[in-house]
Amino acid sequence: MRDSRRARLILGVLLTAALVILTVDHRTGESSPLRPLRAVGAWVFGSAEQLGGGVVRPVTTFVQALFTAPAAQERIRVLTEENARLRTGMLADKLDAARSSELKKLLGLAGAGGYKIVTGNVVARRGQPGFEDTVQIDIGSADGVQPEMTVLNGDGLVGRVIHASTTSSTVLLISDPASAAGARLEGGREIGVVHGVGEHGRLVQFRLLDSAAPLVRGGRIVSFGSQNGRPYVPGVPVGVIERVESTPGELTRIAYARPFADLTALDAVGVVVEAPKRDPRDAVLPGKEGDAVKRTPTRRGGSP
Amino acid sequence: MIGGLCVLLALLVQVMLVNRLPLPGGGAPDLVLLAVVGAALARGAVPGAVLGFIAGLVVDIAPPGAHLAGQYAFVLALVGYVAGRGAGGPVTTVVLCVLLAPLLAVGVSMLIGDSRVTLATLTEEVPVTIVYTLLVSPVVIWLATRGGEPRYST
């Protein structure tokens, strides 16, 4: 023990001093005489900490990253899942909105023509160039669909039902080469036949029976209607004439029309289960001619 | 003097770096304590006690602190004295001091009636701190016994 007594004395003094400081600080509380000392300490160490903070922060961040890596992994996984779910939800919302607007248009058209319709969705499509052009819809005889009924969407004529099972039906589109539908020119009594020409429904052929009747580009075609409204009900918009072919010497005149209904992108369709009491004539056609002509080409793509 | 600088440096590192690391268990090593112990080991009882007192006072007034001034001055003065006196070899001394300091601090807090110190502190927080401090202590033992020189950094 070197200098033990002195050491103990010093220790005792130090401990007593500490206790005195402690007591003073404790008793006086807010008005402590040690407050200025604390203020100085805060200033000195605060400055030093601020200066050193920039140096220290990368280290802290690195160690933090190391220790929180497993939690971060888990969080990334959770966020990725949530992101995917939200994305799906958003897409579904968008699809719902698109479908809602299509259905609204469809109901508007059906209301204007006085058609009683059952709505359905296209679930499958068969279509090769030159062969049949058909779609499958998710409504069938259980919903009142029978063969030889008119199918339309919010824009115009789509086709007719050829087979109907309990829960689904097959629709032959007007663009199918084997399809023929009676049609007439808007505002007149000139009648003709609309034939499909394939080409994915970008164009249909309109054969006017009277070769002397005026046939101009931009003329609009509505369905003529069959007996008892089967397979085609009258008054459904079919398309706009795009090109008139000169066929000298023939008995009929041929024009090519662009269907109002976008046959390449069908979704919500309606099957007319009850024909209107009387022919709606041109009442179902869209409002302005220029509007309809301008609107449709932008939605179609170029030739394949 | 070197011991004092070491203590100051240890305090800064403690407050700025070590206490902010999210170490598992929620504790951190007490570097100031180790610096005081190391300096006392190298210098003896009286310088150890004086250094511990000053270091404790600085810890008490250094910014993020809401405890009463004098608490750590008391604890570290005592620890510095014990470390300077020595108890067996340096290893046992350091271990003893590391065990002693947090218990002393808890005891002083309890005497003052600090409501933040409860039995849970004694059973949950103090052991974690002791374990971390013991993990770092070999560095101090090595530096202090190497050539009588106090350690320069942690």
Side-chain angles (χ1 to χ4, degrees):
Chain A
M1 292 293 135
R2 44 179 174 145
D3 210 3
S4 182
R5 186 173 295 172
R6 197 177 135 252
R8 277 184 210 157
L9 186 67
I10 289 173
L11 176 68
V13 168
L14 288 176
L15 292 187
T16 315
L19 286 178
V20 167
I21 292 172
L22 195 56
T23 316
V24 167
D25 199 23
H26 188 41
R27 288 290 293 272
T28 49
E30 275 300 297
S31 59
S32 164
L34 287 159
R35 252 188 121 62
L37 203 60
R38 272 185 199 277
V40 171
W43 184 75
V44 172
F45 281 97
S47 324
E49 282 162 14
Q50 274 173 12
L51 280 177
V55 185
V56 164
R57 192 164 298 119
V59 182
T60 321
T61 319
F62 175 69
V63 177
Q64 225 155 16
L66 273 187
F67 278 103
T68 54
Q73 290 277 352
E74 176 67 11
R75 192 161 161 67
I76 287 171
R77 196 184 59 76
V78 169
L79 285 178
T80 313
E81 271 175 19
E82 194 182 345
N83 202 6
R85 207 174 56 241
L86 290 177
R87 234 178 247 281
T88 318
M90 234 170 75
L91 196 64
D93 275 358
K94 221 183 263 176
L95 286 178
D96 278 352
R99 183 149 185 267
S100 157
S101 72
E102 272 197 45
L103 282 175
K104 206 178 275 175
K105 242 170 41 184
L106 181 57
L107 289 179
L109 189 143
Y115 314 118
K116 195 173 165 192
I117 60 167
V118 180
T119 61
N121 275 317
V122 172
V123 290
R125 171 162 197 154
R126 169 77 62 96
Q128 284 162 321
F131 298 107
E132 80 254 52
D133 220 352
T134 52
V135 294
Q136 194 75 5
I137 57 174
D138 61 356
I139 47 176
S141 55
D143 305 289
V145 176
Q146 282 158 24
E148 305 305 322
M149 279 181 167
T150 313
V151 181
L152 43 80
N153 75 357
D155 294 315
L157 188 64
V158 169
R160 63 185 161 96
V161 178
I162 49 170
H163 299 299
S165 70
T166 323
T167 55
S168 72
S169 324
T170 307
V171 176
L172 186 75
L173 302 182
I174 51 170
S175 59
D176 186 283
S179 153
R184 65 175 174 76
L185 276 174
E186 171 196 14
R189 287 186 302 256
E190 298 300 335
I191 59 170
V193 181
V194 170
H195 286 285
V197 289
E199 282 193 48
H200 295 296
R202 265 182 291 277
L203 286 176
V204 291
Q205 188 196 55
F206 180 57
R207 190 181 284 268
L208 196 65
L209 298 182
D210 182 0
S211 62
L215 191 59
V216 292
R217 192 168 172 275
R220 299 189 293 180
I221 311 167
V222 296
S223 69
F224 180 61
S226 323
Q227 197 176 10
N228 296 328
R230 281 183 175 220
Y232 292 108
V233 292
V236 185
V238 176
V240 186
I241 291 172
E242 283 245 304
R243 196 171 80 230
V244 182
E245 269 193 7
S246 54
T247 49
E250 279 197 27
L251 288 176
T252 56
R253 294 191 71 188
I254 291 176
Y256 288 94
R258 183 170 17 79
F260 281 122
D262 189 352
L263 298 177
T264 52
L266 289 171
D267 186 19
V269 295
V271 177
V272 180
V273 291
E274 198 181 303
K277 296 268 186 313
R278 55 185 190 78
D279 187 348
R281 306 292 296 175
D282 299 335
V284 193
L285 276 171
K288 271 157 75 182
E289 190 168 16
D291 189 38
V293 170
K294 239 185 279 169
R295 177 172 51 104
T296 12
T298 55
R299 292 198 304 165
R300 301 276 152 76
S303 46
Chain B
M1 206 59 228
I2 296 170
L5 280 180
C6 283
V7 170
L8 211 60
L9 198 67
L11 177 62
L12 281 177
V13 171
Q14 173 88 45
V15 173
M16 285 160 58
L17 184 61
V18 178
N19 284 357
R20 281 157 68 177
L21 296 181
L23 297 173
D30 193 343
L31 298 184
V32 179
L33 170 66
L34 286 175
V36 169
V37 169
L41 270 177
R43 291 294 161 89
V46 175
V50 174
L51 191 65
F53 179 76
I54 296 169
L57 213 54
V58 172
V59 168
D60 284 330
I61 62 168
H67 58 268
L68 296 171
Q71 257 177 284
Y72 280 92
F74 184 90
V75 173
L76 289 181
L78 204 55
V79 169
Y81 177 77
V82 171
R85 280 289 302 273
V91 176
T92 43
T93 310
V94 170
V95 171
L96 179 73
C97 289
V98 167
L99 288 175
L100 183 70
L103 295 177
L104 261 178
V106 169
V108 172
S109 298
M110 275 179 160
L111 277 180
I112 301 165
D114 195 333
S115 56
R116 286 166 294 192
V117 179
T118 55
L119 202 64
T121 321
L122 207 56
T123 55
E124 287 165 21
E125 292 173 31
V126 170
V128 177
T129 311
I130 289 177
V131 167
Y132 275 122
T133 314
L134 283 178
L135 282 178
V136 184
S137 59
V139 183
V140 179
I141 297 170
W142 177 67
L143 281 171
T145 55
R146 202 176 44 145
E149 286 283 69
R151 63 207 196 78
Y152 294 101
S153 62
T154 328

